[in-house]
Amino acid sequence: MNQVPRNQVIAPTGIAPPAARYAHAVLSENPSRWLHTAGVVGVRPDGTIPNDVGDQAQVIWQNLDAMLSEAKMSAADIVTMMTYVIPEQDLASVMEARDAYFGDHLAASTLLVVPQLAQPSWKVEISIIASK
């Protein structure tokens, strides 16, 4: 039986394409499980925090992957993400970490530059919603 993917990228031809590697929208049909995360920051399991924003983003995706794994999900189940970055950071390195984690998968994405995060050492914070 040929099934439609549960989470399907919606890409209308009548609008401009996304500004980077993400989907404008993702349709989730008949999901039975949802995972919502809080904002996740780049704190390693030992409590250390890399100084570089790109390295923090990589740690965040490792942390998110651990949460997805615990929920018996994967990157392919992510339907949306919200990224918060403090000013004057290398946004390209944040997007490169995302793209490396996602591979060919696309999810809806919003990236905001915010004045600060809850701790001075945090430069980027990401939350996701996954559906399976």
Side-chain angles (χ1 to χ4, degrees):
M1 179 179 196
N2 191 6
Q3 294 183 332
V4 173
R6 188 158 304 197
N7 298 316
Q8 179 181 356
V9 171
I10 301 299
T13 57
I15 65 173
R21 186 154 166 60
Y22 63 89
H24 279 307
V26 176
L27 175 65
S28 296
E29 296 194 57
N30 301 315
S32 60
R33 300 173 59 241
W34 289 91
L35 175 70
H36 299 258
T37 70
V40 177
V41 294
V43 179
R44 295 181 181 116
D46 66 4
T48 61
I49 302 167
N51 189 47
D52 179 75
V53 70
D55 293 341
Q56 285 190 22
Q58 290 175 357
V59 171
I60 291 169
W61 286 111
Q62 291 166 359
N63 292 341
L64 287 167
D65 190 61
M67 292 176 203
L68 287 161
S69 180
E70 182 79 13
K72 296 182 178 34
M73 294 178 151
S74 70
D77 298 313
I78 297 173
V79 296
T80 191
M81 69 192 107
M82 181 76 76
T83 305
Y84 306 90
V85 182
I86 63 170
E88 301 178 18
Q89 299 302 311
D90 178 16
L91 296 180
S93 67
V94 172
M95 292 186 287
E96 286 170 11
R98 175 200 64 201
D99 294 347
Y101 179 72
F102 272 61
D104 292 336
H105 178 65
L106 295 177
S109 176
T110 300
L111 187 149
L112 298 169
V113 176
V114 297
Q116 65 185 33
L117 296 172
Q119 299 290 325
S121 57
W122 299 345
K123 296 179 179 180
V124 57
E125 185 170 333
I126 302 171
S127 65
I128 63 167
I129 299 173
S131 164
K132 188 164 186 150

